[in-house]
Amino acid sequence: PSSTAGGGSKGSSASTGRPPASKDLAPLLDLLSGWWHPPQVKSPDEAVAVVAGLYQNFYKRRQAMREALSGIASTLESGHGPDWARRALGCVEVALTGLEWLLLACQVALQVLRQVISATKNGNAIPGLPANFSILKDSPLKAAVNILPPEKRCDLQNTFLKVVDLSIKQGAPGNSSSLHRTSSGLTGQLGSNGNLVDAEGNCASPNSSVEFEELWSSGLRLGAALELEPWLGF
């Protein structure tokens, strides 16, 4: 994970294994809801250290949950698993999906912050950055994402679609009855017009659109900031 997100600060929750503080989680939840509320620190470099530490924390927790999920599944496959194991399976699956969203939020924040740091060090202006935009102030997320090069935005779009697909498969968030525990058939790729496509290149099915709207209604607005349909329409 350090090669992807960078190292966290010494003594942080990432290095000690402690759960992240609520004040550290809040900016990531705001990001997923479509707003850029960076960590309240003095510089982009300090913000990178905070978010990178959170990324490492979530990464380690995801690994632990995957191992737990595998162990529970093996117990159930044996046919001798206790009743609690089947109930625990669903809880761990939903928690694991939540971690995937938090990891994605960290990736978006790190990409934006590092883009600003790189441009500042090289003395370059950032195309499309509004004159009143401050990287350490509250702003619509779209304004922050738009400073990224197209290839980096595309990578984030594809990662977003993969997490959406996982959420639909797991019936998360909120365990809504309209989110089914079956594959939506997404490839995690964009069509030429920016719409979601299945393995054959066809547009997403109407049932999938209902599921996408459920995710939107749950508060996940990141798709619109990434300029993806159908979230722009929502």
Side-chain angles (χ1 to χ4, degrees), residues 31-32 34 101 141 157 160 164 216 220-232:
L31 188 151
L32 292 173
W101 282 109
L141 179 61
Q157 287 171 333
F160 170 82
V164 166
W216 174 268
L220 291 166
R221 308 295 169 86
L222 177 57
L226 292 172
E227 299 186 323
L228 291 173
E229 292 290 357
W231 289 277
L232 277 175

Side-chain angles (χ1 to χ4, degrees), residues 10 13 17 38 64 68 87 107 128 139 148 195 204 223:
K10 184 177 181 181
S13 59
R87 295 193 297 271
Q107 290 175 35
S139 302
L148 296 175
N195 291 324

Side-chain angles (χ1 to χ4, degrees), residues 87-159:
R87 295 193 297 271
L89 186 67
C91 292
V92 175
E93 286 178 338
V94 171
L96 187 56
T97 304
L99 279 174
E100 296 289 356
W101 282 109
L102 290 171
L103 283 164
L104 172 59
C106 287
Q107 290 175 35
V108 174
L110 287 169
Q111 291 276 24
V112 172
L113 290 166
R114 285 174 172 163
Q115 181 68 19
V116 170
I117 291 171
S118 175
T120 302
K121 288 182 177 179
N122 294 329
N124 298 329
I126 302 176
L129 188 66
N132 62 346
F133 181 82
S134 170
I135 201 63
L136 294 179
K137 300 292 184 181
D138 299 347
S139 302
L141 179 61
K142 186 176 180 180
V145 171
N146 280 348
I147 72 174
L148 296 175
E151 64 274 12
K152 290 187 177 180
R153 286 203 304 270
C154 185
D155 288 342
L156 291 175
Q157 287 171 333
N158 286 326
T159 303

Side-chain angles (χ1 to χ4, degrees), residues 6 22 39 55 69 71 73 82 86 100 132 152 170 179 183-184 187 192-193 195 201 218 234:
S22 298
Y55 183 96
L69 198 62
R86 194 170 302 278
E100 296 289 356
N132 62 346
K152 290 187 177 180
Q170 300 296 356
L179 291 176
S183 174
S184 61
T187 63
S192 58
N193 59 355
N195 291 324
S218 75
F234 298 154

